[in-house]
Amino acid sequence: MATITLGGNPIHTSGELPTIGSKIADFKLVKTDLSVASLQDFTGKKLVLNIFPSIDTGTCAASVRKFNESASALENTTVLCISRDLPFAQKRFCGAEGLENVVNLSDFTEGSFGKTNGLEITDGPLAGLHSRVIIVVDENGVITHTEQVAEIADEPNYEAALSVL
């Protein structure tokens, strides 16, 4: 379990992030067209997993915008924006913002992605949502970078995540 903060108040996650050098666990997440995506859909690609509580908050929206901007310049790299938001909300946000360089995926059905990767918030007002996490995976599915953002309202370290690509 990791301890993070929300407005300076401690909250906890369901576990620890996967370790650098380990393989990312397979997943089944819902795309904005309601089809299911799995890790196999991204075979051979480098992945930036931008994970956050809700697209409808300022910091989460900022991270999607920032990675959308950065993703267009990254070779053989896909940015996956993952939350427990409904796919409709994810699609609405990216459509309204004109964001086309990220893939939105929802863990709304069971939250198994958050539980598997130890990043589900377990207490406080955001219990059940994902904490703010960045996981970078190489083209072989090996984790090369992780960041559990200590204060949920803070943005991740974009440069650190992008530098390992």
Side-chain angles (χ1 to χ4, degrees):
M1 164 177 37
T3 300
I4 58 176
T5 58
L6 172 63
N9 299 308
I11 57 175
H12 303 92
T13 65
S14 58
E16 300 295 328
L17 297 182
T19 57
I20 293 173
S22 66
K23 289 259 189 177
I24 189 75
D26 195 11
F27 54 78
K28 295 208 180 308
L29 296 165
V30 181
K31 298 195 280 187
T32 58
D33 66 2
L34 302 181
S35 65
V36 175
S38 71
L39 185 58
Q40 290 180 336
D41 295 329
F42 306 100
T43 300
K45 296 269 190 189
K46 297 175 191 172
L47 300 174
V48 176
L49 283 62
N50 176 32
I51 306 155
F52 49 85
S54 175
I55 194 72
D56 287 321
T57 66
T59 306
C60 300
S63 72
V64 173
R65 286 185 201 106
K66 178 66 175 178
F67 279 120
N68 178 75
E69 176 187 319
S70 302
S72 62
L74 301 174
E75 187 174 324
N76 194 37
T77 302
T78 301
V79 176
L80 307 179
C81 294
I82 302 169
S83 69
R84 297 218 48 201
D85 289 300
L86 291 176
F88 313 113
Q90 295 172 331
K91 184 175 183 177
R92 172 193 40 78
F93 174 81
C94 284
E97 296 275 333
L99 307 179
E100 299 177 348
N101 297 321
V102 296
V103 176
N104 285 291
L105 298 172
S106 177
D107 192 22
F108 83 97
T109 56
E110 299 173 12
S112 61
F113 177 85
K115 291 177 178 95
T116 298
N117 290 289
L119 53 89
E120 180 181 84
I121 298 170
T122 60
D123 55 4
L126 299 181
L129 298 179
H130 295 336
S131 58
R132 188 173 318 286
V133 170
I134 303 296
I135 300 174
V136 179
V137 179
D138 72 11
E139 53 273 289
N140 299 310
V142 176
I143 297 169
T144 58
H145 172 82
T146 63
E147 178 189 7
Q148 170 74 71
V149 179
E151 166 58 51
I152 201 96
D154 291 344
E155 291 185 57
N157 184 339
Y158 301 109
E159 293 74 29
L162 297 172
S163 71
V164 299
L165 296 167

